[in-house]
Amino acid sequence: MAGLRPPRTVIRRSTGNWALQGALDRRGLGPVAGVDEAGRGACAGPLVVAACTLRPGDGRRFEGLTDSKVLSAAERERLYGVITAKALSWSVVVISAEEVDAIGIHVANLEGMRRAVAQLAVHPGYVLTDGFRVPGLGTPSVAVVKGDLVAACVAAASVLAKVTRDRIMTELHDEFPMYGFADHKGYCTADHTERLEQHGPCEQHRWCYANVVAAARLHGMRSPRAVSSKPGLFDAFEGDVVDNEQL
């Protein structure tokens, strides 16, 4: 039976973060798309998910492409321009804080990844996701540990998501300057926590998150919307977020 097995795929380490995509492309499984998100750990602002497909052998066009978190803001902006101009296909999905409250951060993340892949102009033959499996993508997929570091298409998706979200948070800063969104982008920094406790949350905060609920209690505030999500990352206890009439 061993003779009936297909030949093993060779991954050339010399090709860096293009190796995995290249191996899949050589086996006829392309085009290969990468999916990643930005804002999962934030307590304010949207969750942004992106998908991106890069052409095989196009590495020189994307010099310096890696996980968006290790790039400077200027380098992310540069690569964003290159990706949107040179990628085979790309898409970005923005999931509002309101929707995160309605369905929960993990469900929102999975749903965003499905939407992003579905919106690609060129349907992928294979999808690489960063860190965890995403069911229901409609195409074969595999979760890659630290995918935004080891797979160029996932890194490209991370740049698209990060730049898009940073721009949104900078715009929200103009509307809600008291929170400093332009600096911390809605993440739970010491500065954001201090401002949140001082002013109380706004409609751009995620009211299913424990720190937002705690800050609202300090000001006797109620959620501006119904919150029905199940507890998730940084989420409050279910009793706290379902019935804010008690605040």
Side-chain angles (χ1 to χ4, degrees):
M1 295 294 292
L4 299 178
R5 295 175 182 172
R8 296 179 64 182
T9 300
V10 177
I11 297 180
R12 302 187 179 101
R13 296 184 182 273
S14 61
T15 56
N17 61 359
W18 288 76
L20 180 55
Q21 175 181 329
L24 293 168
D25 281 318
R26 290 193 300 275
R27 292 299 303 272
L29 297 175
V32 180
V35 188
D36 202 7
E37 49 74 26
R40 180 181 175 91
C43 67
L47 174 71
V48 178
V49 185
C52 187
T53 303
L54 304 176
R55 293 178 177 85
D58 230 4
R60 290 185 179 180
R61 291 178 180 264
F62 300 93
E63 184 177 355
L65 178 60
T66 187
D67 176 12
S68 63
K69 294 186 290 296
V70 303
L71 296 169
S72 67
E75 191 66 1
R76 286 195 298 266
E77 287 285 350
R78 181 190 71 81
L79 284 166
Y80 179 93
V82 175
I83 294 165
T84 54
K86 303 297 184 182
L88 175 63
S89 182
W90 62 275
S91 67
V92 174
V93 172
V94 178
I95 300 174
S96 69
E98 181 177 6
E99 186 171 355
V100 170
D101 279 343
I103 63 177
I105 187 63
H106 185 61
V107 174
N109 199 15
L110 295 177
E111 178 60 24
M113 290 184 172
R114 296 185 195 106
R115 294 181 198 172
V117 170
Q119 291 178 18
L120 288 171
V122 178
H123 188 73
Y126 213 89
V127 176
L128 303 178
T129 62
D130 183 25
F132 55 88
R133 192 176 75 87
V134 180
L137 288 175
T139 193
S141 64
V142 67
V144 182
V145 177
K146 296 184 178 180
D148 42 13
L149 282 172
V150 303
C153 56
V154 178
S158 78
V159 169
L160 292 172
K162 174 66 173 169
V163 171
T164 299
R165 189 175 187 279
D166 283 358
R167 291 176 178 179
I168 292 172
M169 297 308 296
T170 300
E171 291 176 359
L172 287 176
H173 177 85
D174 295 335
E175 187 176 355
F176 303 97
M178 70 286 286
Y179 298 109
F181 287 150
D183 297 323
H184 52 67
K185 305 300 189 292
Y187 286 91
C188 303
T189 65
D191 177 59
H192 188 192
T193 298
E194 181 179 350
R195 291 169 181 256
L196 183 59
E197 291 176 351
Q198 179 182 358
H199 300 286
C202 68
E203 62 264 29
Q204 291 298 330
H205 282 93
R206 300 174 185 174
W207 287 74
C208 61
Y209 279 39
N211 62 326
V212 175
V213 172
R217 282 177 171 160
L218 293 176
H219 294 266
M221 299 172 66
R222 297 177 180 178
S223 172
R225 52 185 171 263
V227 178
S228 58
S229 65
K230 294 181 180 179
L233 183 63
F234 299 123
D235 288 1
F237 291 109
E238 195 166 5
D240 289 333
V241 299
V242 173
D243 184 10
N244 278 327
E245 292 295 323
Q246 298 176 4
L247 289 179

